[in-house]
Amino acid sequence: MKGATAQIDSQALQHNLAVVRSQIPANTKVVAVVKANAYGHGLVPVAKTLSSADAYAVARLEEALILRSSGIVKPIIMLEGFFSADDLPVLAANNLQTAVHTEEQLQALEQMTLPNPVTVWVKLDTGMHRLGVRPEEVDAFCARLAKCKNVVQPFNFITHFSCADELDNLATARQIELFNQLTKNYSGQRSLASSAGIMEWHDAHADWIRPGIMLYGASPFEGKTGIDHGLHPVMTVKTNLIAVRVLKQGEPVGYGAKWVSPRDTKIGVVAIGYGDGYPRMAPSGVPVLVNGRIVPLVGRVSMDMLTVDLGPDAVDQVGDDVTLWGEGLAVETVAEAIGTIPYELITKLTPRVIMEYK
Ligand SMILES: *Cc1c(COP(=O)(O)O)cnc(C)c1O
């Protein structure tokens, strides 16, 4: 027994990329989003497994540099752009593409001397109001970029949806329309859609799509699982039972004595806790898969362990397999029971969890 492992299924990753391709026009290109350590799946192994993607996207310069130093030569886009002018020569030297959305970034591009120009994506704020050039400022911003010797011409356009996972929300259609209107007089490439947009907003496919969560086999839509979309789960988090114990009716288990058994039962002690990235806030009742059946988490999650109610007739033994999410137990189901989203669960595993690639 070795504690918690995250098994990463390379074939599932490749299958999910094929599902992405099957949903878009043949000439639409795919940027595989591998930020945050490929959503917790391991940046370099995931990027190498997805070698048929047309480009990669990250959120931090360090992530881009790790990809380059591992031999990845395809385009890499920095989705949030560079954070300081000092980063710009590093981008140029490593042939990294960047989103641009602030006056500070624009001035850095105008003022610095670079060995070669940089490919940029003007990030447009079409309604998310997090990052992006405001609609009324787009033409002036673009006029300056068009004159900028450090920018590869023509430059490209990118936007991000705030509500694409809500199918009856009109905001997405408004964002698409505004994006099309703002970019209609420019010749660069266009990109709007992440997973929810790819699956449900076909008007948003444009030149480049940016799948993240669907590559990892999970659904961006509440109440759905990746399996509903023909996707395969990529990450399965497993560990073992390290004790099976008798618990009498009326006895509590764990810190704070928060859960009290309503019957005589057997408790399974599972070797995973918040020190591995299993959320401490997970309430009693969250499903856990033990020997092929769902049992409820009971009591508080501790640092290295959690406890499940195996039931009075359980024959489970020390060493038996436990799955926290993945194959056999959808990460979306677990996330919903905890009150979070699959993105957070898969991204937050700690380095103590052993990654196993197959
Ligand atoms: C994270 C991110 C994506 C991928 O989103 P998913 O919902 O995981 O598909 C795409 N574009 C941008 C700008 C992002 O930040």
Side-chain angles (χ1 to χ4, degrees):
M1 277 193 275
K2 53 193 164 185
T5 61
Q7 297 174 356
I8 306 298
D9 183 342
S10 308
Q11 276 180 2
L13 257 178
Q14 285 168 341
H15 166 85
N16 296 339
L17 178 56
V19 171
V20 170
R21 292 247 190 236
S22 75
Q23 297 189 0
I24 55 169
N27 54 355
T28 296
K29 297 202 175 76
V30 178
V31 188
V33 180
V34 293
K35 62 190 180 189
N37 195 29
Y39 290 45
H41 293 62
L43 176 58
V44 171
V46 166
K48 294 204 159 156
T49 302
L50 296 176
S51 59
S52 68
D54 301 294
Y56 300 97
V58 295
R60 299 283 186 269
L61 181 55
E62 285 69 26
E63 297 169 334
L65 295 177
I66 290 169
L67 288 177
R68 280 284 179 262
S69 62
S70 76
I72 300 278
V73 295
K74 290 214 170 149
I76 299 174
I77 304 173
M78 312 237 312
L79 291 170
E80 295 157 21
F82 53 97
F83 297 168
S84 107
D86 300 340
D87 295 340
L88 206 41
V90 184
L91 263 61
N94 289 279
N95 192 21
L96 304 176
Q97 304 187 8
T98 182
V100 181
H101 48 84
T102 65
E103 175 63 26
E104 291 83 352
Q105 291 168 329
L106 185 53
Q107 282 182 18
L109 283 163
E110 288 173 330
Q111 291 165 9
M112 293 194 77
T113 304
L114 297 179
N116 48 283
V118 174
T119 296
V120 308
W121 295 76
V122 186
K123 186 150 193 166
L124 302 183
D125 177 9
T126 55
M128 175 92 163
H129 303 318
R130 186 179 57 183
L131 294 178
V133 181
R134 292 188 58 84
E136 62 273 21
E137 292 166 355
V138 169
D139 284 332
F141 199 94
C142 290
R144 285 167 65 188
L145 278 178
K147 282 189 281 185
C148 188
K149 62 180 184 329
N150 286 327
V151 170
V152 173
Q153 306 290 339
F155 46 83
N156 310 301
F157 293 92
I158 189 168
T159 196
H160 198 51
F161 298 135
S162 56
C163 306
D165 56 331
E166 299 171 21
L167 300 183
D168 52 2
N169 194 322
L170 298 174
T172 306
R174 281 199 298 271
Q175 285 194 260
I176 296 170
E177 197 187 313
L178 180 56
F179 182 83
N180 289 341
Q181 188 199 319
L182 291 171
T183 59
K184 69 173 186 288
N185 295 325
Y186 298 93
S187 61
Q189 302 276 297
R190 292 165 173 76
S191 177
L192 304 89
S194 55
S195 295
I198 294 162
M199 290 194 250
E200 292 292 347
W201 301 92
H202 296 187
D203 291 351
H205 286 168
D207 302 307
W208 290 81
I209 51 148
R210 309 188 304 270
I213 195 76
M214 68 184 294
L215 290 174
Y216 306 101
S219 174
F221 300 104
E222 206 183 316
K224 293 220 159 178
T225 67
I227 295 158
D228 299 330
H229 308 289
L231 301 166
H232 295 168
V234 176
M235 175 191 285
T236 298
V237 176
K238 288 194 156 197
T239 186
N240 303 98
L241 287 176
I242 56 168
V244 176
R245 308 194 61 251
V246 166
L247 192 72
K248 300 270 194 223
Q249 181 182 4
E251 286 179 335
V253 66
Y255 285 117
K258 289 294 170 201
W259 182 83
V260 177
S261 186
R263 59 178 177 175
D264 289 356
T265 191
K266 285 186 186 161
I267 291 290
V269 183
V270 179
I272 192 167
Y274 62 81
D276 303 282
Y278 193 96
R280 182 176 174 279
M281 299 316 291
S284 292
V286 172
V288 175
L289 189 66
V290 179
N291 286 322
R293 73 186 193 287
I294 300 288
V295 297
L297 171 78
V298 292
R300 272 199 187 144
V301 174
S302 42
M303 187 182 289
D304 313 302
M305 289 171 274
L306 56 78
T307 40
V308 295
D309 183 4
L310 296 170
D313 305 321
V315 292
D316 310 284
Q317 312 228 325
V318 168
D320 285 357
D321 268 8
V322 179
T323 297
L324 288 311
W325 63 74
E327 194 107 37
L329 175 57
V331 65
E332 296 90 337
T333 308
V334 177
E336 199 181 324
I338 296 175
T340 183
I341 52 176
Y343 296 76
E344 187 175 18
L345 291 186
I346 59 182
T347 306
K348 275 198 171 163
L349 293 180
T350 69
R352 185 165 77 181
V353 177
I354 299 162
M355 308 296 289
E356 286 179 350
Y357 296 88
K358 59 168 179 164

